[in-house]
Amino acid sequence: MQKTFDRRRPRAFPPAQWRRGLWLALPLLLGGCSPQVMVFHPVGPVGRTEERLIIISIVLTAIVVVPVILLLWHIVHRYRDVPGNDAPYRPEFSESRTLEVVWWSIPIVIIAILAVFTTRDTFALTRPPEKSTTPLTVEVTSLDWKWLFQYPGSNIATVNYCYIPTNRPIRFILTSNAPMNSFWVPQLGGQEYTMPGMAMQLWLQADKPGLYYGRGAQFSGKGFAHMTFDVHATSQADFDAWVKNVKTTSPPLTEDGYNQLAHPGLSGKLSYSSYPPNIFHDIIMKEGGMYMKHDRAVLESAK
Amino acid sequence: MSLAHEEVLSTPSSDVPVEYSTEDGALKIFGFWIFLATDLILFACLFTMYQILHINTAGGPTEQELYDVPGFTAETLILLVSSFTCGLATLEMRRGRRSASMGWLVVTVLLGLSFIFLEVREFVDYVNRGATMQRSAFLSSFFTLVGTHGCHVSLGILWMLSILYQLGRRGISAMTARKIFIVGLYWHFLDVVWVFIFTVVYLQGVM
Amino acid sequence: MHLPGYVNNVATPFFVTGDPMIYASDVLIVLTLVAIVFVLTYFKKWGWLWREWITTVDHKKIGIMYLIAALLMLFRGGVDAMLMRTQLALPNMRFLEAEHYDQIFTTHGTIMILFMAMPFIFAMFNIAVPLQIGARDVAFPYLNAISFWLFFFGALLLNLSFVIGGSPDGGWTSYPPLTEWPTDPGPGENFYLLALQISGIGSMATGINFLVTILKMRAPGMTLMRMPMFCWSVVGASILIIFSFPALTVALALLMIDRLFGAHFFTMLQGGNPMMYVNLFWVWGHPEVYIVVLPAFGIFSEVVATFSRKRLFGYASMVASIMAIAVISYLVWLHHFFTMGAGPGVNSFFAISTMSVGIPTGVKVFNWLFTMYQGRIRLKLPMLWAIGFIPNFAIGGATGVMLAVAPGDYQYHNSYFLIAHFHQVLIGGVVYGMLAGMYYWWPKMFGIILNERIGRWAFWVFNIGFYVCFLPQYELGFMGMTRRIYVYPAGMGWTALNLISTIGAYLMGIAFVLIVWQVLYSIRFPERDVTGDPWDGRTLEWSLPSPAPHYNFARIPTVTARDAWWAEKEARRRGEDVQKELRPLEPIHMPNNSGRPFILSVCFFIGGFGLVFEWYWLAILGGLGVMLCLLLRSLETNTDHYIPVEEIRRTEAALGRL
């Protein structure tokens, strides 16, 4: 069966593919330096932990990926079926205990190393990033299609923006009074879902004052694309001033006002000097929290 | 498609039961076992749902308030006995005794019907007491889990009737034997599922 | 039911109205239908269509129908993708509104996974498996036809939603409570639930069918460890189908019960628990991605060995890794929602189990590389796609391991990083694999070889387009762009990357057109395969003429080695006498054609349509039709026939095989 030999000159192989990959990767890597690449420009301990782990995982996986692509290039180039190719041809060579042990072991070792780092950080991220400072609790509710922030310490509330003091761990308690969403401030750290009837906890902390981009990350219907919010990180003094300002200049949030907010629609940035007590707690309980020990524990611990 | 034909290539052999005597029959029985595996996973999912939602009563009726011990005990006994009679039908089929096999199948169908009757009565009773599927997540999962089993039993009854008809017309052949055997597998499987419903739903509920 | 704070039911018109795009497609659909009816009538082809295709139980024809359906659905899903990329090309685009965009990404995902990838792998199952194991058909040919028609009418039901009633718009994952009636009224979501349910029954039957076929119907001498690797991958995929699809069935059924009958499984009030849907969905959903990718691995194993003229390296490892992937894939579903508040112990467990999928997968990649090593590599089209797959999957696999790192996932979740990752593995893995399989087995299906030159163009344009489209999306993820947003503002730094990505998507679209052109060109100017073995193949399907006669093997072969056909050719080259041709022919037992699978599926379709619109009389009518079809089948005795020796001899003589 010699008839199907391909007699054309070998084309430079995977080269094209692989070089193209490099070409495209170049602007991406350069782009990595721009502060707009938020995940690689974290401003707090949580985001930094995650960034470090991401870089570790990139390096570890590259140990396999890069040799595989180089090897592919080499093999396809060397063993093309062209006349005059003097490379060895061993059609029955299909077993090698040694080789197979090698490539079962490499990924096992890599995964084992990565597993250690992953487990360490997964546990670390459930604890406050800093132990010495008392944390601030902010209760977050995703609504259709806006974000409500409540500050149980000072009894003020805001919509679509929030202020947090820098260098202080923030305990975000998340829920939803609408279909699920996900609370994500990339520069501070990773996201956590907001779900009806559940109280979820997310620790974040900002080290530098600034205005950070936040958005809903889980599709929740028509207005989802517009569900962004601003996170203002300021010094504790500026934060206290802001609280005082909201307390004195903003209207209170009433039950009716809350129901209006919960009605589907978009909203601008709003501030409230007070809100009905327990509204956050009651909504979680009503929507299923009463059946979940976990919810009660989170709400207890936040008190 | 198998090489062997249902009737043609059947080689009477003492160590192979008649339902396995053709390659086609053996294939179908094996396929049905795998189908039962899928059905088992389906019920496993429904049990999980029930196990998670059974406390979510939303202020509505609870398990203790609803479940009626004599009612579900009767349902259980009836279904267990019907599994036994169904097994007898298979045994008689293997001995080649058509009317005995048919007789036991008829008994099985009657027991199945009385099971369904009791179950429907139980459901109607609950609904009359305000315990509808729409009332709470607990009741949604109760009616769905027990109802899915009930639908399976009802389908099994219709299936047995069709097999009874074929048995009457054609007698015991490799094909009808295979059908009796497979419906038997199905019926025993439903019995096993019911044992779990009895334990997870009813016993756990009234304890 | 009135819940405070939710949009309540709005009357939806039966026919979707109000958009010029919809009207245009209405017109196109009507014109296409008229054209099809006209052509069939003019050429008097209705009888042919019914006898040869609609009623067929022949696995080869069913495979071809799956293939055509998969390509059509690839077109539909691809058009959806183009529309989305057009909308996202620039910031603040006004090409699509939120509602339309939501519908389009929902149908894109649903169609690509369930109505493109699934039928594509089933096409390959049907075309190759019985021929590779030396069988005359699958274990249950009639059930096989039912599977196809259920898939077909499921797909039809979903596509119908485009013009009737409105498309689903809750995402292909369709998480409640968003998809519950109060927040998503109207028939759109019902279409999703019923279409998936109907085609899912078919998929489950296919899984059972092929598992039984492979375990019980192999030719004499073909032990499990002599099977072609593709068959092993089908075993893996079938097991996954059997053990995962019931979870989808339950998830869909419960959501449907919620929507139609007002139950409270996943609602926000009355104790419903939406998390349970998410769990059930991914208990199916994660194995599902291995269901579609394992057969692709199988195809690559066949293609790489054949076009390297070398035995597959590390056969036992390959089998072990398929089975390891199958088992591990049940233990990873939670990685789709690391961010839903599971404790750190649970997250760590699922992170590590997910990463460990990388171990057997990595081993497979090395084995493919060493199959090529010291071989003789011919860069024919199937091989080109197989080689294109390797760097693709290496990168996709690496980003998969990155996503498995739970704290990393907190940042990637729902971002374009995730989108880029799963397109890289699903296109780079599944689509490349299926196209490799299509080119590889095309001669076996149709007796012609697809034009090489156009095929190379298609490959390179697609491959380049692929990287241009998806590499920027990794970066967009790091820049905070989330999936499923229909519009984004300027000034985020996203614009250039989005524009590049859109260009890449269009390149892939052009490549699809080239493939269609390649097929049409090859039909017009065919290069016939007269040997039955155009690639110098290794497995039994290449011992048959192309296309294979409807009974496949005149004599069932006896297998003595792995790569049975290669071994036989080697024996002949050594001049050994091959005795089996001298065995006398025997009558061949074949199943009869039947129109009932088609009618049964029509009844399912009618019932499903009734439930979508809550026309219960129609649903009951459909259900009764289904029961009647089942009963008639049960009572049927005349289900098969014998092909006499004389006819076999005539057929074989005409094929030059006597």
Side-chain angles (χ1 to χ4, degrees):
Chain A
M1 286 275 177
Q2 302 297 313
K3 67 187 166 49
T4 42
F5 272 76
D6 188 343
R7 298 196 180 277
R8 260 184 289 173
R9 293 279 315 137
R11 195 180 293 214
F13 202 74
Q17 211 155 330
W18 172 226
R19 271 191 235 130
R20 194 168 54 248
L22 272 180
W23 262 102
L24 273 172
L26 204 62
L28 297 189
L29 291 174
L30 292 176
C33 305
S34 146
Q36 285 175 318
V37 185
M38 301 172 192
V39 172
F40 290 122
H41 288 83
V43 294
V46 175
R48 271 198 301 276
T49 306
E50 286 160 353
E51 184 202 18
R52 194 184 54 218
L53 197 53
I54 287 171
I55 289 170
I56 291 172
S57 67
I58 291 175
V59 171
L60 283 173
T61 51
I63 293 175
V64 175
V65 172
V66 173
V68 159
I69 293 176
L70 293 177
L71 207 57
L72 176 73
W73 184 356
H74 167 74
I75 289 175
V76 175
H77 202 63
R78 180 95 172 83
Y79 300 100
R80 278 291 304 267
D81 186 12
V82 283
N85 190 344
D86 58 352
Y89 173 48
R90 290 162 67 195
E92 300 302 314
F93 173 51
S94 65
E95 300 285 335
S96 163
R97 182 63 58 85
T98 329
L99 283 175
E100 295 206 60
V101 168
V102 169
W103 60 66
W104 276 96
S105 327
I106 296 171
I108 289 176
V109 171
I110 290 176
I111 299 298
I113 298 171
L114 195 53
V116 172
F117 286 116
T118 302
T119 312
R120 187 194 63 188
D121 288 349
T122 308
F123 277 85
L125 289 177
T126 57
R127 295 187 284 265
E130 195 184 304
K131 305 263 176 338
S132 50
T133 331
T134 44
L136 173 78
T137 299
V138 181
E139 294 169 341
V140 183
T141 312
S142 64
L143 302 168
D144 269 346
W145 292 282
K146 52 197 88 76
W147 292 92
L148 174 67
F149 297 87
Q150 296 170 52
Y151 291 77
S154 45
N155 201 31
I156 61 167
T158 57
V159 170
N160 286 346
Y161 82 101
C162 69
Y163 271 68
I164 55 168
T166 50
N167 297 315
R168 187 175 166 190
I170 314 292
R171 183 207 301 266
F172 286 101
I173 311 263
L174 312 169
T175 193
S176 177
N177 190 15
M180 293 175 192
N181 213 304
S182 190
F183 177 84
W184 189 26
V185 189
Q187 278 178 281
L188 297 186
Q191 65 197 284
E192 186 79 20
Y193 271 61
T194 60
M195 309 209 282
M198 297 203 194
M200 318 270 264
Q201 183 170 274
L202 176 67
W203 288 102
L204 294 175
Q205 180 176 328
D207 291 345
K208 279 191 285 188
L211 170 61
Y212 304 117
Y213 174 75
R215 68 160 303 123
Q218 167 67 23
F219 176 67
S220 61
K222 206 163 63 166
F224 163 69
H226 306 290
M227 278 187 78
T228 56
F229 56 91
D230 291 339
V231 179
H232 299 264
T234 61
S235 68
Q236 182 70 43
D238 288 351
F239 176 77
D240 293 337
W242 170 77
V243 171
K244 192 176 269 174
N245 184 35
V246 171
K247 271 244 165 275
T248 47
T249 59
S250 303
L253 176 64
T254 57
E255 290 270 1
D256 282 348
Y258 178 83
N259 289 338
Q260 294 252 303
L261 264 186
H263 204 74
L266 301 179
S267 159
K269 296 178 174 52
L270 303 169
S271 313
Y272 299 100
S273 58
S274 70
Y275 54 82
N278 290 331
I279 190 159
F280 186 77
H281 179 271
D282 291 350
I283 281 164
I284 292 177
M285 287 302 138
K286 190 175 76 180
E287 290 179 347
M290 57 182 154
Y291 307 111
M292 295 186 198
K293 273 195 213 113
H294 170 260
D295 281 18
R296 292 195 293 268
V298 168
L299 291 172
E300 267 320 297
S301 72
K303 271 187 183 150
Chain B
M1 190 59 210
S2 58
L3 267 172
H5 185 263
E6 193 85 57
E7 322 283 341
V8 177
L9 290 186
S10 78
T11 40
S13 147
S14 55
D15 50 323
V16 178
V18 58
E19 68 273 14
Y20 280 101
S21 62
T22 64
E23 195 188 333
D24 187 60
L27 276 180
K28 285 187 170 147
I29 292 169
F30 183 62
F32 196 78
W33 273 108
I34 300 179
F35 163 75
L36 286 184
T38 69
D39 223 19
L40 191 69
I41 309 277
L42 185 134
F43 275 107
C45 293
L46 291 175
F47 274 111
T48 314
M49 284 302 295
Y50 181 84
Q51 196 57 26
I52 287 181
L53 294 177
H54 76 115
I55 51 166
N56 297 16
T57 51
T62 62
E63 297 153 280
Q64 280 94 344
E65 289 164 33
L66 282 181
Y67 299 156
D68 161 46
V69 179
F72 70 73
T73 313
E75 287 169 38
T76 307
L77 288 176
I78 288 172
L79 208 61
L80 287 179
V81 172
S82 80
S83 203
F84 180 68
T85 57
C86 183
L88 290 179
T90 308
L91 282 179
E92 295 295 344
M93 168 273 282
R94 282 189 181 167
R95 288 186 194 152
R97 286 155 59 169
R98 173 166 78 167
S99 34
S101 184
M102 286 178 72
W104 286 120
L105 274 183
V106 170
V107 174
T108 310
V109 166
L110 290 176
L111 287 169
L113 282 173
S114 36
F115 169 84
I116 291 293
F117 171 76
L118 286 181
E119 188 162 83
V120 169
R121 210 184 55 169
E122 180 193 341
F123 282 10
V124 169
D125 175 48
Y126 292 172
V127 170
N128 287 338
R129 289 153 67 185
T132 63
M133 187 182 224
Q134 293 77 14
R135 180 63 190 85
S136 69
F138 152 58
L139 287 164
S140 299
S141 61
F142 168 80
F143 281 109
T144 305
L145 171 59
V146 182
T148 304
H149 177 268
C151 287
H152 274 72
V153 173
S154 310
L155 200 71
I157 291 170
L158 293 177
W159 190 1
M160 280 186 188
L161 290 175
S162 153
I163 290 171
L164 274 171
Y165 169 77
Q166 293 175 50
L167 212 47
R169 289 278 306 265
R170 298 175 198 150
I172 292 174
S173 67
M175 178 160 63
T176 48
R178 184 246 302 158
K179 290 185 179 190
I180 295 171
F181 187 77
I182 287 181
V183 83
L185 284 181
Y186 180 76
W187 200 260
H188 297 314
F189 165 76
L190 292 181
D191 207 42
V192 172
V193 172
W194 181 263
V195 170
F196 280 93
I197 290 182
F198 175 74
T199 324
V200 173
V201 177
Y202 290 107
L203 278 190
Q204 184 187 237
V206 295
M207 288 297 218
Chain C
M1 184 173 47
H2 181 84
L3 296 176
Y6 289 98
V7 200
N8 271 284
N9 194 0
V10 249
T12 337
F14 186 70
F15 286 103
V16 178
T17 51
D19 190 297
M21 228 162 62
I22 306 261
Y23 291 131
S25 28
D26 287 351
V27 172
L28 269 178
I29 289 167
V30 171
L31 284 179
T32 317
L33 283 178
V34 170
I36 291 172
V37 171
F38 177 77
V39 168
L40 286 172
T41 314
Y42 186 80
F43 292 102
K44 301 197 170 58
K45 287 287 188 190
W46 284 106
W48 165 82
L49 187 68
W50 176 260
R51 279 190 311 276
E52 296 290 320
W53 295 96
I54 292 177
T55 60
T56 189
V57 293
D58 180 350
H59 69 96
K60 298 178 287 300
K61 287 184 174 170
I62 289 173
I64 289 170
M65 292 194 290
Y66 268 125
L67 179 67
I68 294 169
L71 290 173
L72 281 174
M73 288 294 102
L74 182 59
F75 173 74
R76 160 81 211 262
V79 170
D80 284 346
M82 302 284 147
L83 292 174
M84 282 191 284
R85 281 314 322 170
T86 308
Q87 166 69 14
L88 292 179
L90 294 168
N92 298 315
M93 278 284 264
R94 297 299 302 273
F95 174 63
L96 294 171
E97 288 308 314
E99 288 95 333
H100 286 134
Y101 189 85
D102 297 349
Q103 294 184 351
I104 287 169
F105 73 64
T106 303
T107 50
H108 168 76
T110 311
I111 284 175
M112 285 303 200
I113 293 283
L114 287 141
F115 299 118
M116 189 281 286
M118 290 301 277
F120 224 143
I121 66 161
F122 291 158
M124 298 300 146
F125 284 22
N126 274 287
I127 289 156
V129 168
L131 300 182
Q132 284 197 328
I133 62 170
R136 294 219 163 99
D137 206 323
V138 295
F140 313 117
Y142 179 89
L143 186 65
N144 199 22
I146 293 179
S147 289
F148 171 75
W149 289 111
L150 284 179
F151 148 73
F152 178 88
F153 282 103
L156 190 65
L157 193 60
L158 189 83
N159 281 281
L160 205 61
S161 69
F162 187 61
V163 285
I164 293 177
S167 299
D169 59 358
W172 85 275
T173 49
S174 184
Y175 282 2
L178 178 64
T179 49
E180 290 284 357
W181 190 266
T183 37
D184 196 0
E189 181 64 21
N190 296 353
F191 270 117
Y192 168 93
L193 295 170
L194 269 306
L196 264 61
Q197 196 70 279
I198 289 171
S199 65
I201 299 169
S203 301
M204 234 176 322
T206 304
I208 297 173
N209 212 336
F210 279 86
L211 189 64
V212 177
T213 306
I214 294 178
L215 292 184
K216 294 283 182 191
M217 294 179 63
R218 296 185 312 275
M222 184 177 276
T223 58
L224 283 175
M225 291 308 272
R226 282 179 188 162
M227 277 198 318
M229 193 51 60
F230 178 66
C231 292
W232 267 111
S233 72
V234 175
V235 169
S238 299
I239 292 174
L240 286 174
I241 290 174
I242 288 162
F243 288 102
S244 68
F245 262 78
L248 177 70
T249 307
V250 171
L252 296 172
L254 300 187
L255 186 53
M256 189 188 80
I257 293 171
D258 270 5
R259 287 178 61 86
L260 297 186
F261 310 120
H264 292 285
F265 287 105
F266 312 125
T267 55
M268 288 163 58
L269 295 172
Q270 310 299 112
N273 186 344
M275 268 307 284
M276 283 312 294
Y277 176 91
V278 180
N279 272 297
L280 284 174
F281 186 87
W282 287 114
V283 164
W284 162 78
H286 200 81
E288 165 67 14
V289 305
Y290 295 107
I291 289 170
V292 292
V293 89
L294 283 182
F297 288 172
I299 290 170
F300 291 129
S301 301
E302 301 289 324
V303 166
V304 167
T306 302
F307 290 91
S308 305
R309 289 182 195 280
K310 194 157 164 279
R311 281 167 74 111
L312 183 65
F313 198 91
Y315 182 94
S317 282
M318 289 299 231
V319 173
S321 57
I322 286 178
M323 289 300 139
I325 291 172
V327 172
I328 300 171
S329 74
Y330 286 105
L331 306 173
V332 300
W333 81 92
L334 191 129
H335 71 219
H336 294 272
F337 45 98
F338 280 141
T339 53
M340 280 191 181
V346 175
N347 272 358
S348 299
F349 172 83
F350 281 95
I352 294 166
S353 64
T354 305
M355 287 172 203
S356 50
V357 176
I359 298 167
T361 316
V363 168
K364 293 188 87 69
V365 171
F366 282 114
N367 279 334
W368 287 317
L369 285 178
F370 274 77
T371 306
M372 290 189 257
Y373 175 74
Q374 299 195 337
R376 278 292 176 269
I377 299 169
R378 290 169 294 160
L379 292 180
K380 295 282 184 186
L381 289 179
M383 190 60 171
L384 218 47
W385 287 94
I387 291 174
F389 148 84
I390 290 177
N392 232 321
F393 208 73
I395 300 168
T399 52
V401 171
M402 288 170 68
L403 275 155
V405 176
D409 180 73
Y410 301 161
Q411 289 282 26
Y412 313 131
H413 188 82
N414 274 342
S415 78
Y416 262 79
F417 184 89
L418 171 80
I419 304 299
H421 159 72
F422 74 65
H423 282 92
Q424 183 130 28
V425 284
L426 284 175
I427 297 180
V430 181
V431 176
Y432 277 44
M434 293 307 126
L435 288 174
M438 183 183 87
Y439 286 121
Y440 185 56
W441 283 308
W442 192 278
K444 194 49 62 190
M445 284 184 264
F446 300 105
I448 56 172
I449 300 167
L450 287 174
N451 182 282
E452 189 88 4
R453 189 173 46 87
I454 309 174
R456 279 176 185 274
W457 273 98
F459 170 76
W460 285 107
V461 174
F462 193 95
N463 206 32
I464 293 169
F466 177 83
Y467 286 98
V468 173
C469 182
F470 290 107
L471 286 186
Q473 294 187 6
Y474 284 117
E475 185 76 352
L476 283 170
F478 290 134
M479 299 175 88
M481 181 162 166
T482 48
R483 68 196 296 196
R484 294 174 176 174
I485 51 172
Y486 77 102
V487 71
Y488 59 91
M492 299 294 295
W494 299 349
T495 311
L497 290 169
N498 269 307
L499 189 62
I500 294 173
S501 182
T502 302
I503 292 168
Y506 274 92
L507 284 176
M508 284 191 277
I510 291 169
F512 181 81
V513 175
L514 282 173
I515 291 174
V516 174
W517 167 242
Q518 178 194 18
V519 170
L520 297 176
Y521 183 90
S522 307
I523 292 171
R524 182 74 186 78
F525 305 104
E527 180 192 344
R528 299 220 174 270
D529 165 33
V530 287
T531 62
D533 187 13
W535 315 121
D536 195 7
R538 313 179 69 81
T539 41
L540 284 178
E541 73 268 36
W542 305 111
S543 68
L544 295 170
S546 297
H550 63 287
Y551 48 76
N552 297 350
F553 295 89
R555 298 177 187 85
I556 295 291
T558 306
V559 176
T560 52
R562 207 177 282 163
D563 291 344
W565 175 234
W566 182 264
E568 194 181 317
K569 285 191 289 189
E570 286 290 298
R572 283 202 201 142
R573 275 169 217 162
R574 287 194 302 270
E576 285 170 23
D577 195 16
V578 183
Q579 286 296 322
K580 72 166 196 172
E581 301 296 337
L582 302 177
R583 278 184 290 150
L585 289 170
E586 283 171 9
I588 295 176
H589 178 231
M590 295 300 286
N592 289 348
N593 281 3
S594 170
R596 210 177 298 111
F598 178 79
I599 296 167
L600 173 84
S601 306
V602 169
C603 294
F604 262 104
F605 177 79
I606 293 170
F609 192 80
L611 281 179
V612 165
F613 285 93
E614 299 182 58
W615 298 340
Y616 291 110
W617 58 271
L618 192 64
I620 290 168
L621 210 64
L624 288 176
V626 170
M627 299 294 284
L628 186 67
C629 287
L630 293 177
L631 184 68
L632 287 175
R633 170 64 177 178
S634 176
L635 298 177
E636 194 174 41
T637 47
N638 185 21
T639 57
D640 32 42
H641 64 278
Y642 276 86
I643 306 174
V645 171
E646 199 35 52
E647 190 187 328
I648 302 168
R649 187 163 288 136
R650 265 203 313 278
T651 314
E652 291 290 302
L655 292 167
R657 294 276 163 154
L658 274 185

